[in-house]
């Protein structure tokens, strides 16, 4: 089937033939439901808890947003990755490098700092 001839309103198969209707049926039907008895389908309907759908969706949305990352992932990242880092004095900004060299001379080759968040 060419993409240029695709029409969302038209059926994919010819509905005037039995095979076309059969292909359409199997395309839109979950065959597993045909194998289940009615009592089992009724049990699945009873499992719906409609009054909790809203709070569950809000909780899942909140957990997938930045709140989850701030509460759980930031402390995890801080504990997994080292916070104390070092850098060569020669790679510092010119003002800071000159300040360190004027106070301590060339005896200090590295500075240590806390990365923080």
């Amino acid at each position: 089937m060419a993409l240029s001839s695709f029409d969302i309103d038209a059926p994919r198969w010819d509905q005037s033939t039995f095979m076309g209707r059969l292909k359409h049926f199997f395309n839109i039907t979950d065959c597993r439901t045909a194998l289940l008895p009615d009592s089992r389908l009724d049990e699945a309907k009873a499992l719906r808890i409609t009054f909790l759908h809203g709070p569950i969706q809000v909780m899942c949305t909140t957990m997938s947003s930045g709140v989850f990352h701030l509460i759980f992932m930031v402390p995890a990242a801080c504990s997994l990755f080292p916070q104390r880092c070092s850098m060569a004095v020669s790679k510092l900004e010119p003002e800071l490098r000159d300040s360190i060299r004027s106070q301590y001379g060339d005896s200090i080759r590295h500075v240590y700092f806390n990365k923080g968040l």
Side-chain angles (χ1 to χ4, degrees):
M1 173 185 273
L3 188 60
S4 61
S5 66
F6 180 75
D7 182 14
I8 197 165
D9 294 324
R12 291 173 64 184
W13 296 282
D14 182 18
Q15 297 295 298
S16 64
T17 64
F18 173 75
M19 287 306 292
R21 291 190 301 271
L22 186 66
K23 288 179 183 178
H24 177 71
F25 172 77
F26 285 121
N27 185 45
I28 64 170
T29 305
D30 184 4
C31 298
R32 295 172 295 179
T33 60
L35 302 174
L36 292 175
D38 289 341
S39 60
R40 182 70 184 221
L41 293 173
D42 290 336
E43 287 176 21
K45 287 181 186 176
L47 292 176
R48 291 186 183 171
I49 305 172
T50 56
F51 65 91
L52 284 179
H53 283 188
I56 289 174
Q57 288 178 353
V58 168
M59 183 181 68
C60 290
T61 305
T62 303
M63 294 302 276
S64 67
S65 68
V67 173
F68 174 76
H69 296 286
L70 286 176
I71 294 174
F72 296 105
M73 297 314 294
V74 170
C78 289
S79 65
L80 291 175
F81 299 106
Q83 296 299 304
R84 187 172 179 199
C85 297
S86 66
M87 182 180 286
V89 174
S90 60
K91 293 184 178 182
L92 293 174
E93 297 172 346
E95 298 86 17
L96 186 57
R97 180 178 58 228
D98 294 340
S99 170
I100 292 173
R101 284 189 178 157
S102 68
Q103 275 186 325
Y104 301 102
D106 289 334
S107 62
I108 296 182
R109 301 206 185 270
H110 288 85
V111 290
Y112 296 93
F113 60 95
N114 186 357
K115 275 193 331 189
L117 298 176

